[in-house]
């Protein structure tokens, strides 16, 4: 899945994110490459690479290794489900069932397909282990150039940032593996949208 990344209410295109997802029914391997493009790449070149691999269980994804590479360094998290610990940043923390990493969380949320209430999910970022609460805001229909899509809108907070996702609804939509749209509102109120490429235009929804 390729995403167009825009900034601000006018939807100025600044980058792209390409997600790949391979599995054989027992194990999975996820990759995500995010980079600035166009004029944004000239003035502020940036590239972020994430990868996650692990097992597929009846409860969804169970990560084993997570890697987050960017210009300031590399963060990793190693999940030991036998000892029930996750290792990151030179320390270990207790590992509870359902814990995800920064990349696998997107796929896990689509697999869980929540319709109401909230989803509590511990997430290892490579720098910390934190509990995220994803609040379900309800079903919404988004209008894209490629047509209408039924979604479930969820929201969480990460530090001073607000993360919103629109998860696909409908038969076969879960096979996408990723939300149709992701919005991050940072501490300054700046909006960054990621919209699936086959649905996107340069306008935010």
């Amino acid at each position: 899945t390729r995403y167009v990344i825009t900034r601000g209410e006018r939807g100025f295109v600044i980058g792209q994110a390409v997600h790949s997802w391979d599995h054989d029914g027992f194990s999975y391997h996820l990759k995500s490459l995010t980079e600035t493009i166009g004029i944004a790449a000239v003035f502020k070149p940036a590239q972020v690479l994430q990868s996650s691999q692990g097992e597929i269980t009846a409860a969804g994804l169970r990560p084993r290794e997570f890697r987050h590479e960017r210009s300031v360094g590399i963060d990793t998290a190693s999940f030991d489900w036998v000892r029930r610990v996750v290792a990151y940043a030179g320390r270990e923390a207790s590992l509870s069932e359902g814990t995800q990493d920064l990349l696998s969380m997107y796929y896990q949320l689509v697999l869980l397909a929540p319709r109401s209430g909230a989803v509590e999910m511990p997430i290892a970022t490579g720098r910390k282990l934190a509990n995220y609460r994803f609040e379900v805001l309800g079903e919404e229909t988004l209008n894209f150039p490629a047509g209408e899509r039924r979604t479930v809108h969820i929201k969480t907070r990460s530090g001073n940032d607000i993360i919103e996702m629109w998860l696909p609804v409908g038969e076969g939509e879960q096979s996408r593996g990723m939300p149709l749209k992701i919005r991050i509102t940072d501490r300054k109120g700046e909006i960054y949208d990621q919209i699936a490429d086959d649905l996107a235009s340069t306008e935010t929804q």
Side-chain angles (χ1 to χ4, degrees), residues 99-155:
T99 300
Q100 300 296 321
D101 57 52
L102 276 178
L103 184 55
S104 68
M105 73 171 184
Y106 293 112
Y107 292 81
Q108 182 70 355
L109 285 165
V110 171
L111 289 172
L112 291 175
R115 293 293 180 268
S116 61
V119 175
E120 302 279 350
M121 185 182 292
I123 296 175
T125 69
R127 292 188 173 188
K128 63 180 181 178
L129 178 65
N131 192 61
Y132 284 64
R133 176 183 171 85
F134 295 90
E135 179 185 358
V136 178
L137 302 181
E139 289 198 18
E140 295 181 14
T141 298
L142 296 186
N143 294 311
F144 296 100
E148 292 185 345
R149 292 293 190 279
R150 288 175 55 223
T151 69
V152 169
H153 185 187
I154 65 174
K155 178 181 177 181

Side-chain angles (χ1 to χ4, degrees), residues 2-8 10-19 32-38 40 46-48 181-184 191-197 200-204:
R2 178 180 177 269
Y3 287 85
V4 174
I5 303 174
T6 65
R7 175 181 177 181
R10 290 192 169 191
F12 178 66
V13 177
I14 61 168
Q16 67 177 12
V18 179
H19 291 256
S32 169
L33 175 62
T34 303
E35 57 189 348
T36 49
I37 60 175
Q47 189 177 85
V48 177
K181 179 179 174 181
I182 302 165
R183 169 171 287 183
I184 297 175
I191 295 173
Y192 297 88
D193 281 340
Q194 297 184 41
I195 306 171
D197 185 43
S201 72
T202 56
E203 297 178 359
T204 56

Side-chain angles (χ1 to χ4, degrees), residues 5-6 11 19-20 45 66 78 81 88 176 201-202:
I5 303 174
T6 65
H19 291 256
S20 61
F66 171 68
S78 297
W81 293 98
Y88 61 93
R176 282 181 168 275
S201 72
T202 56

Side-chain angles (χ1 to χ4, degrees), residues 20-24 26-32 50-57 60-69 75-81 86 95 99-105 107 124:
S20 61
W21 140 257
D22 297 310
H23 70 90
D24 59 9
F26 301 98
S27 61
Y28 75 85
H29 193 176
L30 306 173
K31 282 187 179 180
S32 169
Q50 292 182 337
S51 64
S52 173
Q53 53 186 324
E55 300 172 354
I56 298 175
T57 72
L61 304 187
R62 179 180 277 184
R64 285 195 306 264
E65 297 290 337
F66 171 68
R67 187 177 178 89
H68 186 185
E69 301 178 35
D75 298 323
T76 61
S78 297
F79 299 75
D80 188 331
W81 293 98
V86 56
L95 185 59
T99 300
Q100 300 296 321
D101 57 52
L102 276 178
L103 184 55
S104 68
M105 73 171 184
Y107 292 81

